[in-house]
Amino acid sequence: MDFVTSADGTRIAFETSGTGPPVVLLGGACYGAKAWAAAAGFLAPQRTVYAVDRRGRGASGPVDGYRTEREVEDVLALLQRIGEPVELLGHSSGALLALRVALSGAPVTAMTLYEPPIRVPGGSGRDGVTERLIELVAEDDRDGAVATFIVDAVGDDPRLLDAMRRTPFWATAMALAHTLPLDTRLRDESGLDGMAGLDVPVLLLLGERSDERMRTGVEALAAALPNRVLEILPGQAHNALREAPDLLAERMLAAAHYSS
C-alpha cells in the first residue's frame, strides 16, 4: 500500500501492481482498493494498475464535508505522482468520479466506465437521498443509512432488506456507511452538462441484466459523449466488478484504441 497527499492534506491510499501503461481503478459504493484485486490480476500483465481507496475507505484518510471536489483532487494527486497520462477504469459512482476527473482537464487518455448512474430523467437514484444519508450517518445509524441507500439510491425492493442483512455484503456496507453520501452526491452533481465537449475516448459498459433505469442513464450518456463505444456485458447486472472481473478487464484491454 502506498499513499499520496491530496490538496486538503488527506492521505489517499492506493495499491500498485503490474507493468505497462498506467490505469487507475475507481470503485463504486462500498468498494475499496481490495475489491479490484481480481480485475487487477487480469490487467497486470499489460498495465501498471493503481487501485484506489477513495477517501473514507480502507487505508485512506477520513471523509470531510462530502464534497465532490475533494474526491477529484484525490485522484489528481495520484495522477501527479504517476507523472504520465493514464487510463481510468470506473465502476458505478467511481465511473462518475472518472468523468469528473476527465472534465477537469486531467491527462486522461481513455476511460472504461461500467454503469455510471448519471443523473437524467428516468435514470437511477432519487433526489434528496444525500441529505438523509448525512443525517443517518451523523446519528450513527449505519443500518438505516445502508437500507436507505439500497432502497432510495439503488432502487431495490425494500422487501429484500431482511435477506440482504444476512449476507456478508451487509457487514461490508455497514463499515463503509459513512462514505455513502459521497456516492449519492456524485450522482446528484453528475448530469450531462459538459459531456458533448469531452473528447476522451470512452468505452461505456452496461450489464445485460441491469434494470431499465440504469439502461436509460447509460444510453443517455452514450448519446451525449462525442467519442464513445457502448457495449453490453452478457449475463451481468450492476455488480460485474465482483461477479465478472475477468470480463470487465478483457473488455477494457480489447478496447485499447477504441473510438466511435
Side-chain angles (χ1 to χ4, degrees), residues 40-208:
F42 289 109
L43 293 169
Q46 299 183 52
R47 295 288 189 276
T48 301
V49 179
Y50 297 86
V52 178
D53 270 335
R54 288 169 53 194
R55 61 174 53 207
R57 308 172 196 217
S60 285
V63 173
D64 181 17
Y66 299 109
R67 294 176 60 186
T68 298
E69 304 96 302
R70 298 287 83 84
E71 289 220 88
V72 173
E73 291 169 356
D74 299 344
V75 181
L76 294 179
L78 176 57
L79 268 55
Q80 185 173 19
R81 167 76 67 87
I82 294 169
E84 61 179 299
V86 304
E87 293 179 72
L88 300 177
L89 171 56
H91 168 259
S92 192
S93 62
L96 295 178
L97 179 55
L99 282 165
R100 293 291 293 265
V101 170
L103 286 167
S104 77
V108 176
T109 59
M111 295 187 287
T112 299
L113 308 178
Y114 190 81
E115 297 199 346
I118 200 84
R119 186 185 184 198
V120 297
S124 297
R126 296 180 187 172
D127 294 342
V129 178
T130 301
E131 289 71 22
R132 179 57 182 151
L133 287 173
I134 291 172
E135 291 173 358
L136 291 165
V137 170
E139 296 165 1
D140 199 28
D141 185 358
R142 290 178 172 264
D143 184 87
V146 174
T148 297
F149 181 81
I150 293 297
V151 174
D152 292 338
V154 177
D156 282 352
D157 190 324
R159 292 173 295 184
L160 299 176
L161 290 175
D162 285 344
M164 294 179 73
R165 286 185 172 98
R166 295 191 291 270
T167 67
F169 160 79
W170 200 265
T172 300
M174 289 266 287
L176 292 172
H178 59 286
T179 66
L180 293 174
L182 285 172
D183 299 295
T184 55
R185 179 148 284 163
L186 270 165
R187 179 263 174 193
D188 294 343
E189 298 179 358
S190 296
L192 299 178
D193 290 350
M195 297 302 171
L198 185 62
D199 199 36
V200 176
V202 177
L203 173 63
L204 274 174
L205 295 174
L206 176 66
E208 180 184 32

